[in-house]
Amino acid sequence: MHPVILAIESSCDDTSAAVLAGGEIRSNVVATQQVHEQYGGVVPELASRAHQQHLIPVVEAALQKAGIRKQDLDAVAFTQGPGLLGSLLVGGMFAKTLALALGKPLIAVNHMRAHILAHFIDAPRPVFPFLCLTVSGGHTQLVVVRSALDMEIIGQTIDDAAGEAFDKTAKLLGLPYPGGPHLDKLARAGNPTRFPFPVGAMPGYDFSFSGLKTAVLYFLKKETAQNPTFIQENLPDLCASIQHTIIQTLLRQLRRAAHDQGLTQIALAGGVAANSGLRQALQDEAQAQGWQVFIPAFQYCTDNAGMVAMTAQFQYQAGDFADQLVSSDPRLKLA
């Protein structure tokens, strides 16, 4: 059963709409928001206003690109949470109104589940069960994925997420927002072992990155007090060393969880999955451990409606529909 689904994603600062038909993503349109750059981070009120401006043009573009009429839809899906409440409400209210007007079923999708199920958009696809490391600006999780609708978080960050660690340390280095991609690019020309920073060592499978941020802050204060141009003179090595530390923190817990759970199929999801250093380190680790690694295409790593549509197809097939009373939930749990 391959329904025709329009999906909407508006959890943070990207407005996206996608159409899935015949089991394939026919369109995946994303409008980014440039307004936040001058503030060095996402401003929730500005994000929700931008969603209001972008949503209708994005939906129209997705339908047109897919060659699908609104009347041809079998369901309308949207991101219920987690995310910014105002942003979620914009996408959720639009989806509910459209579904009601068309007389079509409504599907409420968990954003973190969608990141994981983005692996099923294109081949190769993992086979259940598998272990997924989800790394994004707001979340870092280790998830045992038993089926499309049966997932268990076995480890997560207790403070900053990996994406936050990238962006906050990049800001300390004077890099523009969002800092993660800039740090990744500069790190390619640097020495990853020149400046040793502490690897967060948490019990079990949890993560911690706040200690790294503090260590980098005090290290830079000390060095720039002696040499005001220290950051500029050592920027590639600093970026490489910070990135190396974040990656080693992630791999340390991933390695432990994979061994304890007896899983060799490993998936990487979330916006930070686009980081070239992490991708390469995971491939190297896979060779050493005998893992089979799965990473979605770049456009399905960052926030997008394609992954929401794919998740909605699984829910449609399971008869998992929402009614008009469903509420957006900024702290929606995966389980």
Side-chain angles (χ1 to χ4, degrees):
M1 181 169 54
H2 293 300
V4 180
I5 297 174
L6 170 68
I8 295 166
E9 155 62 22
S10 66
S11 63
C12 189
D13 62 337
D14 287 322
T15 310
S16 181
V19 174
L20 179 145
E24 297 180 355
I25 300 298
R26 297 285 185 87
S27 63
N28 185 42
V29 180
V30 181
T32 58
Q33 300 178 4
Q34 308 297 328
V35 67
H36 307 287
E37 293 181 3
Q38 60 185 305
Y39 300 102
V42 177
V43 181
E45 177 61 26
L46 295 181
S48 58
R49 291 181 186 179
H51 284 305
Q52 291 176 319
Q53 296 170 351
H54 294 162
L55 189 53
I56 292 178
V58 163
V59 169
E60 290 179 342
L63 289 169
Q64 183 177 14
K65 185 176 180 180
I68 297 292
R69 302 178 306 164
K70 293 190 292 290
Q71 294 81 0
D72 298 329
L73 297 173
D74 293 312
V76 179
F78 72 100
T79 299
Q80 183 186 6
L84 301 175
L85 179 57
S87 296
L88 292 168
L89 285 170
V90 174
M93 290 303 297
F94 181 91
K96 289 199 287 185
T97 302
L98 181 60
L100 184 63
L102 296 174
K104 304 296 183 179
L106 182 69
I107 302 174
V109 172
N110 184 296
H111 181 78
M112 303 311 297
R113 184 185 306 276
H115 270 305
I116 295 171
L117 296 181
H119 291 91
F120 292 88
I121 295 175
D122 295 322
R125 300 174 176 89
V127 177
F128 301 115
F130 62 91
L131 180 65
C132 185
L133 172 63
T134 305
V135 279
S136 67
H139 298 83
T140 302
Q141 298 176 340
L142 276 170
V143 183
V144 175
V145 186
R146 299 185 182 92
S147 74
L149 303 180
D150 182 8
M151 305 180 184
E152 179 187 2
I153 298 173
I154 61 172
Q156 58 190 330
T157 183
I158 64 167
D159 41 56
D160 289 345
E164 288 177 296
F166 274 111
D167 287 341
K168 289 180 179 179
T169 52
K171 189 173 184 178
L172 294 175
L173 297 175
L175 300 179
Y177 175 85
H182 295 284
L183 190 147
D184 179 27
K185 184 177 181 180
L186 288 165
R188 297 171 195 171
N191 178 359
T193 59
R194 183 176 173 199
F195 301 113
F197 294 112
V199 174
M202 296 296 298
Y205 311 128
D206 287 336
F207 303 90
S208 174
F209 293 101
S210 62
L212 170 63
K213 179 185 62 179
T214 303
V216 171
L217 173 64
Y218 284 109
F219 175 77
L220 294 178
K221 281 187 175 181
K222 176 183 175 183
E223 296 297 330
T224 54
Q226 301 173 5
N227 176 12
T229 61
F230 174 80
I231 294 177
Q232 292 81 355
E233 293 174 2
N234 299 278
L235 190 56
D237 288 346
L238 285 166
C239 291
S241 298
I242 291 170
Q243 179 165 284
H244 175 75
T245 304
I246 294 173
I247 291 171
Q248 291 307 307
T249 302
L250 293 170
L251 290 183
R252 178 181 183 273
Q253 301 300 70
L254 176 61
R255 191 183 304 116
R256 177 184 296 176
H259 177 269
D260 292 349
Q261 298 294 323
L263 296 172
T264 58
Q265 290 206 95
I266 308 298
L268 179 64
V272 182
N275 179 275
S276 63
L278 177 57
R279 283 173 172 253
Q280 185 59 54
L282 184 57
Q283 295 291 354
D284 294 342
E285 188 71 25
Q287 288 189 349
Q289 301 292 337
W291 294 341
Q292 187 176 5
V293 169
F294 301 88
I295 306 175
F298 178 80
Q299 66 170 316
Y300 301 125
C301 289
T302 53
D303 291 349
N304 68 94
M307 66 183 191
V308 178
M310 179 54 62
T311 305
Q313 176 174 267
F314 283 109
Q315 294 182 225
Y316 186 99
Q317 292 167 341
D320 182 9
F321 301 113
D323 59 34
Q324 287 290 322
L325 296 178
V326 64
S327 299
S328 297
D329 186 348
R331 291 187 173 88
L332 185 65
K333 302 299 182 183
L334 181 60

